[in-house]
Amino acid sequence: MGLVLCMLLACIPTASAQFDPERLYAWPGDPIDGHVHMTWAAMTMEVNEWADDHPEIVDLVSAGESELGRALWVVRLSDWSMDTKPNGSSKEIVYIDGGHHGNEYLGTALAWLSAKWYINGWNEGNEEAVRVLQNSELHILIMLNPDGNDIDTRWNINQVDLNRNYDHYWNTCPTTQPGSAAFSEAETAANAAYINEHVTDADLYVTMHTGVWIILYPWGKWPEQPPDWELFWTIRDTVNDGISDIPIQNANQGLYPNCGTSRDYGYGHMGFPTFTFETDDEQFIPGSFENLNERLEEEMDVMRYLIGNVWYWRARLDVQSITVADEMLTLNVANHGLASTANASLEYRSPAGDILWASPYFTANASNATELSFAVDDDVFDEDGTWNMNYQKRVINAATWVNESVNSSVVVFVDDEDDRFLTGVGLFNPVAVMLGLLGVSVLIRPKEQDIGKES
Ligand SMILES: [Zn+2]
């Protein structure tokens, strides 16, 4: 690695890559023209040191190359000794990128700091950092536009605005320099390829810029609120109530109409909850560069909230009970997530996996319980089948579908034949009452018994 780095650095005629690993939050590289600036060469050196020094949590890959052939490093952070969370379930996925615009150093700095904070925290045994890295994967592409960064310009080397070059309503807004076609540029094509291959199941995507101090959620294309407005508003209110006064708005209204952005692509095409995090534009910090963690402390507090709570940024349906009685199925389902879903369905599958019955699509609102009843033919459920919830993680059309099994202990069958038999004996079928009280029993009528009774 040392030799490779020397070769890499020898190719770069820009400022020296001097940095001191002893300073925990020292910005790599020297200031250029008196403002915060990290060269791609210095960053390359630093992220490789992270990977060499902390292989248990840092996995470094390149998403591709810039137009001039510079690697687009992705720092992947997690407790790589475990494929899953400690409880055996899949880790949550977070995607972060910085540096679309080569002259927006503080935004790039926030992406860098988002990696550095968890690396330092892990090494210090910080409880929050350890919990996050045990339960999630953070994929952080710190500098998407190294060519523009090294010549201190917004554009890439082809004079294209990379954050107008994504394949989501590309070039449909008054905009400048969106490129010759969606994904015409190596940087955006590589970013989209990485997203589509490695983080398709992400429940958070934050893209980092510099400008007005604001956080923007979709859409940039339209002034209307996005389908998952509830989720975005909940996050906005929680941040503003206790973490930061930073304004959080729909991008179109908060900034101006913008199309072909990575934020709208991430939400509209991938179905992620996406945010553009704009740090302020006071990039010219006199004096010390050691205090980046303090300089961006409030922004980092917001990032820690978004990352630490990623489990909640989707619908999380949890079936409380399924009761089948008198040709009716009653479903009680809670949503522990903070996103709604509009396309939920309960399925009954045969042991071979065939869907024998599925409910119509229904909506389950965020942080709510929903009770629904469906007319059913009880005979469908005679097999020793399984129950599944099939739904989209969020309301947006592009949201990922999940199919999760339902614990059979919540399923109760009330036998019709017993109802009829007991008519006149009492108001309630004692079997049903008993099962309801126990709440744990499953009674599936054997098929032979039904055939005998019905015929
Ligand atoms: Zn920008």
Side-chain angles (χ1 to χ4, degrees):
M1 182 54 76
L3 181 61
V4 174
L5 277 175
C6 289
M7 291 167 66
L8 284 170
L9 293 172
C11 304
I12 309 301
T14 52
S16 74
Q18 190 180 100
F19 82 100
D20 181 356
E22 297 304 312
R23 297 182 306 186
L24 278 182
Y25 289 103
W27 182 237
D30 290 335
I32 290 179
D33 299 332
H35 58 221
V36 180
H37 185 262
M38 167 176 59
T39 63
W40 173 84
M43 184 200 65
T44 294
M45 199 163 162
E46 171 140 355
V47 295
N48 276 282
E49 288 204 9
W50 291 350
D52 289 345
D53 293 348
H54 311 292
E56 74 280 13
I57 54 164
V58 180
D59 177 30
L60 183 67
V61 298
S62 171
E65 292 183 347
S66 69
E67 290 284 331
L68 293 182
R70 294 183 169 107
L72 305 174
W73 299 116
V74 182
V75 178
R76 305 204 271 205
L77 300 178
S78 191
D79 175 0
W80 297 116
S81 72
M82 298 280 289
D83 288 337
T84 65
K85 296 181 184 187
N87 71 9
S89 61
S90 301
K91 294 175 180 176
E92 269 71 66
I93 309 289
V94 173
Y95 191 58
I96 293 169
D97 63 36
H100 271 79
H101 295 139
N103 58 352
E104 297 182 359
Y105 313 112
L106 275 184
T108 311
L110 185 57
W112 173 88
L113 184 60
S114 296
K116 190 68 171 159
W117 194 91
Y118 289 97
I119 295 171
N120 287 350
W122 175 273
N123 291 331
E124 293 160 2
N126 174 286
E127 186 272 333
E128 177 187 336
V130 170
R131 177 178 59 80
V132 164
L133 295 188
Q134 284 180 339
N135 289 283
S136 40
E137 294 180 13
L138 315 184
H139 298 237
I140 306 176
L141 199 169
I142 296 174
M143 188 187 290
L144 186 69
N145 182 8
D147 303 342
N149 181 82
D150 274 15
I151 55 173
D152 193 10
T153 177
R154 174 182 180 88
W155 325 103
N156 79 341
I157 202 68
N158 297 330
Q159 299 298 301
V160 171
D161 186 336
L162 295 180
N163 203 29
R164 301 292 182 276
N165 190 236
Y166 285 79
D167 190 11
H168 186 269
Y169 291 85
W170 173 81
N171 200 22
T172 57
C173 295
T175 190
T176 54
Q177 296 163 241
S180 57
F183 295 139
S184 59
E185 306 308 297
E187 296 85 1
T188 49
N191 200 22
Y194 187 87
I195 288 170
N196 279 280
E197 187 173 347
H198 298 288
V199 295
T200 51
D201 206 22
D203 287 320
L204 176 66
Y205 169 33
V206 184
T207 182
M208 292 168 170
H209 289 254
T210 300
V212 184
W213 193 59
I214 195 169
I215 294 176
L216 304 166
Y217 59 83
W219 302 104
K221 167 69 178 168
W222 301 286
E224 288 78 20
Q225 293 294 323
D228 289 284
W229 60 271
E230 254 181 309
L231 172 64
F232 291 112
W233 288 16
T234 301
I235 290 173
R236 174 195 66 191
D237 293 347
T238 307
V239 169
N240 288 161
D241 281 352
I243 301 169
S244 170
D245 293 330
I246 190 166
I248 302 177
Q249 280 186 277
N250 162 308
N252 183 291
Q253 295 172 314
L255 205 60
Y256 43 73
N258 46 81
C259 298
T261 63
S262 74
R263 178 201 55 248
D264 279 11
Y265 178 82
Y267 182 61
H269 185 78
M270 302 302 298
F272 307 151
T274 56
F275 297 92
T276 305
F277 203 136
E278 301 257 359
T279 68
D280 66 59
D281 200 20
E282 294 180 18
Q283 309 187 80
F284 297 81
I285 304 176
S288 167
F289 284 79
E290 287 95 85
N291 60 356
L292 197 68
N293 191 39
E294 290 167 32
R295 174 68 175 75
L296 292 172
E297 186 177 15
E298 187 168 339
E299 289 80 3
M300 201 56 222
D301 286 347
V302 176
M303 285 308 301
R304 285 165 51 195
Y305 164 73
L306 290 173
I307 292 169
N309 293 286
V310 61
W311 190 88
Y312 293 98
W313 309 150
R314 51 163 281 195
R316 295 260 177 203
L317 299 191
D318 181 15
V319 174
Q320 306 294 295
S321 66
I322 295 169
T323 307
V324 181
D326 297 331
E327 308 288 310
M328 289 293 288
L329 183 150
T330 302
L331 167 67
N332 201 294
V333 57
N335 182 357
H336 301 306
L338 291 170
S340 299
T341 178
N343 285 324
S345 174
L346 176 67
E347 296 174 351
Y348 182 73
R349 292 173 174 243
S350 71
D354 299 324
I355 298 174
L356 301 178
W357 175 85
S359 76
Y361 285 133
F362 61 88
T363 294
N365 287 325
S367 291
N368 212 342
T370 304
E371 186 171 295
L372 300 141
S373 291
F374 308 103
V376 292
D377 174 1
D378 294 10
D379 294 341
V380 171
F381 308 115
D382 287 349
E383 283 192 56
D384 190 13
T386 57
W387 298 85
N388 291 62
M389 282 298 313
N390 193 56
Y391 61 102
Q392 282 183 289
K393 299 204 302 188
R394 283 165 286 273
V395 178
I396 181 73
N397 289 339
T400 303
W401 286 89
V402 291
N403 195 287
E404 296 168 344
S405 61
V406 174
N407 188 332
S408 61
S409 68
V410 303
V411 184
V412 175
F413 284 90
V414 181
D415 196 306
D416 294 352
E417 318 305 330
D418 289 343
D419 279 345
R420 247 173 273 152
F421 181 69
L422 291 164
T423 298
V425 173
L427 282 174
F428 303 104
N429 176 339
V431 176
V433 171
M434 195 176 72
L435 290 177
L437 288 173
L438 290 172
V440 291
S441 303
V442 186
L443 174 60
I444 300 178
R445 294 169 300 168
K447 198 163 193 169
E448 310 77 54
Q449 189 189 338
D450 281 344
I451 293 167
K453 286 190 178 177
E454 305 289 345
S455 53

